[in-house]
Amino acid sequence: MKKLISFLIFVFTLTPVFAFSVADNYTHNSRFWRNSAAISFAPARQFFVGAEFDVTEHKDFDNHIYAFRLPFGFASDALSVRAVPFFLPDNGNDSWAYGGKLMFSSALKLNEVDGTAAEGYLSAGIVSQKADVLKNGVLTEKDTFIQAAYEAGVVSNFFGVYLFNFSGNVYQYLSGLEGVKAIRGVFNQSELADLGTIDYMLGLPRASGGVKATWRSEENRAETFISYRYIDMHDDDARHSLLISTNVLVSAKASLRISYNHIFVPNQTDSDIYGIGLNLGL
């Protein structure tokens, strides 16, 4: 993690004109650890482009999992569009994945008198992955498995201090789910839709829904949120995810994020995931 932070700071100093933020985030629990690095540029006022890289060590795989993303888009007062193509190469785990996600968000309401605002968003994602698929009792190795996800949500903003986010998503398995008991691939399902967790999701979700409450403190220069997510799984018990995260400014250009995620699954052992991250911005 220290090497990645040093590299990001080095890149940050080389690109003072266009770079507006660099970040490094580390996530860990008993089954995996993941380190994520990101850099974003603003070549024009309303446009942005970035690059993200993940490395994950997971107990289910012999080798590290790598993920690359190239987010880009534009944002205005009325509309924002964000596209995120991604690629997970085969690093000796006999599995790869590639795809993308597209998100639109638009202002729904703005009342300057009572200080309220609302924003709605829609997103869709698709992925093709090579994985081992257990179907009808037969294991098919290195099969191509294609799926999609669709998401919608509303964010209400009160006085710029309190935000409430209500969202839900559904997953569609274009290769079919009939008879499928499990797949063994490196793809993290949270790439396609927000599952309200920082866990590395290898199972097959059907749908999820939940709520997130965010509040900001000017006095402490902090932003904190708490979210609950219900995740319906294919051929597995549903998951209940409670995520708490706080982002604190440590200087004019740096902020520190600390996260805790508790996942409860009936008839299974609870899971706890911890995360810490550093963000530098102009």
Side-chain angles (χ1 to χ4, degrees):
M1 181 177 180
K2 291 181 179 179
K3 291 182 178 179
L4 276 173
I5 293 175
S6 299
F7 170 75
L8 289 171
I9 294 174
F10 172 71
V11 173
F12 182 74
T13 57
L14 286 181
T15 56
V17 177
F18 299 111
F20 68 86
S21 71
V22 290
D24 185 79
N25 290 275
Y26 179 77
T27 310
H28 174 81
N29 81 341
S30 60
R31 294 199 58 78
F32 78 96
W33 62 258
R34 179 173 67 242
N35 206 105
S36 306
I39 184 168
S40 298
F41 302 87
R45 181 181 177 184
Q46 294 180 322
F47 293 87
F48 64 88
V49 63
E52 300 175 1
F53 169 71
D54 287 2
V55 55
T56 302
E57 181 179 284
H58 200 288
K59 286 189 175 181
D60 290 354
F61 300 95
D62 294 331
N63 300 297
H64 288 154
I65 303 169
Y66 298 114
F68 301 90
R69 304 179 202 88
L70 293 173
F72 63 92
F74 75 92
S76 66
D77 293 338
L79 176 70
S80 66
V81 180
R82 177 182 175 88
V84 188
F86 55 79
F87 175 55
L88 285 75
D90 186 350
N91 187 42
N93 294 310
D94 294 327
S95 182
W96 49 251
Y98 67 91
K101 181 178 178 180
L102 185 63
M103 179 176 178
F104 300 87
S105 61
S106 176
L108 300 177
K109 173 188 175 183
L110 176 60
N111 191 327
E112 296 181 355
V113 176
D114 60 11
T116 61
E119 180 183 83
Y121 61 89
L122 298 170
S123 74
I126 189 168
V127 62
S128 175
Q129 59 175 315
K130 182 183 75 172
D132 296 341
V133 181
L134 180 61
K135 186 175 183 179
N136 297 321
V138 178
L139 179 64
T140 303
E141 297 183 349
K142 301 179 182 179
D143 195 12
T144 300
F145 195 74
I146 304 174
Q147 60 181 104
Y150 314 95
E151 185 168 11
V154 176
V155 180
S156 296
N157 188 329
F158 297 90
F159 315 108
V161 177
Y162 303 102
L163 293 90
F164 298 92
N165 183 358
F166 303 89
S167 64
N169 50 61
V170 294
Y171 280 70
Q172 180 184 17
Y173 294 90
L174 303 177
S175 295
L177 269 184
E178 185 176 355
V180 174
K181 292 296 181 182
I183 69 168
R184 187 181 185 275
V186 296
F187 180 66
N188 180 3
Q189 297 291 340
S190 293
E191 295 274 7
L192 283 187
D194 181 12
L195 294 174
T197 176
I198 55 176
D199 195 9
Y200 203 94
M201 293 284 292
L202 293 171
L204 300 177
R206 278 201 183 101
S208 83
V211 60
K212 179 168 72 173
T214 304
W215 59 96
R216 297 165 177 164
S217 171
E218 294 293 337
E219 180 181 354
N220 298 321
R221 302 195 303 171
E223 179 178 286
T224 303
F225 76 78
I226 181 170
S227 69
Y228 165 77
R229 201 83 182 183
Y230 175 85
I231 310 171
D232 183 36
M233 303 293 295
H234 168 70
D235 203 40
D236 198 1
D237 293 325
R239 298 169 183 258
H240 303 266
S241 175
L242 181 67
L243 176 60
I244 302 172
S245 183
T246 186
N247 191 64
V248 181
L249 288 177
V250 294
S251 73
K253 294 184 178 181
S255 63
L256 182 68
R257 177 170 292 279
I258 301 173
S259 304
Y260 166 69
N261 187 196
H262 179 78
I263 300 177
F264 168 72
V265 184
N267 306 314
Q268 297 184 29
T269 303
D270 293 4
S271 179
D272 296 291
I273 309 105
Y274 303 90
I276 186 170
L278 177 66
N279 185 84
L280 302 174
L282 287 178

